[in-house]
Amino acid sequence: MNTWRQTSPTGRALLVTVLLTGLTTFMFLPLLAVHLSSEGVPAGRVGFLVGLLAFCSQGFSLLCGLVVDRFGTRAVLASGFGLRIAGYALLGAGTASATAVAGIAAIGIGGSLLGLAVKTRLVAEDGVPARDMLALRSTFVNIGVIAGPALGALVYPLGFGWILAACILSHLLLAIRLTLRPA
């Protein structure tokens, strides 16, 4: 709790970002294959799309450090939020092959950009040891990992579109807070 108290308002906003993006990501992720299958997407293509999401998320992480160094955390945060919002919107527009591939790739790459930009800004917090900040960040991530699927299961009967809308809204509000307001 001391780490939270020592964290600046921007640092707290970053931690809330970790929590909310974790919640919405894990509302979305476990139900993606279920949704695609229910839309009539063949099992092989569902597997490809889920694998593409993992590949884009993890594979792009190799380049994110260079991107953050080159363009700065604010620009990378804005790009990550923008890609994720666009990706969720594309998935909401339909599951046609090209649309789904573009949406999945945007979500994965955007998440990779967000993850590193947030970590970079968190460990740069004044007066808070990086180790403590990363531990607090992990706590917020784990809350999303646990609560997100349960929340997704509650919302899913209303339709997958509601989950996508929650993802878009949370990312849009967080983007406004973290990229448009002064740090």
Side-chain angles (χ1 to χ4, degrees):
M1 202 51 144
N2 284 337
T3 303
W4 177 261
R5 282 189 217 117
Q6 294 170 342
T7 303
S8 71
T10 297
R12 288 180 183 179
L14 289 164
L15 289 166
V16 170
T17 297
V18 169
L19 176 65
L20 292 178
T21 58
L23 279 171
T24 55
T25 296
F26 289 102
M27 281 175 65
F28 159 80
L29 196 57
L31 295 169
L32 177 61
V34 173
H35 169 70
L36 292 170
S37 295
S38 74
E39 293 288 310
V41 176
R45 193 172 305 145
V46 170
F48 169 77
L49 291 170
V50 171
L52 179 64
L53 179 60
F55 175 77
C56 289
S57 297
Q58 300 305 312
F60 197 73
S61 293
L62 298 171
L63 301 174
C64 282
L66 298 171
V67 173
V68 169
D69 286 345
R70 173 91 167 112
F71 298 104
T73 56
R74 187 178 297 264
V76 173
L77 276 173
S79 298
F81 282 124
L83 280 170
R84 277 206 139 180
I85 290 167
Y88 290 128
L90 283 169
L91 278 180
T95 56
S97 292
T99 305
V101 167
I104 292 291
I107 292 167
I109 294 169
S112 190
L113 291 170
L114 283 176
L116 187 62
V118 168
K119 284 180 201 171
T120 301
R121 286 184 63 181
L122 284 174
V123 298
E125 275 287 306
D126 289 333
V128 182
R131 178 192 67 213
D132 294 347
M133 188 56 77
L134 290 175
L136 187 57
R137 179 198 163 277
S138 292
T139 301
F140 280 76
V141 167
N142 290 332
I143 291 169
V145 168
I146 293 167
L151 191 54
L154 290 173
V155 175
Y156 188 71
L158 300 174
F160 195 69
W162 286 98
I163 291 173
L164 294 174
C167 292
I168 290 169
L169 181 62
S170 70
H171 284 66
L172 183 62
L173 293 175
L174 292 166
I176 290 167
R177 166 58 179 98
L178 289 172
T179 62
L180 299 179
R181 279 184 62 188

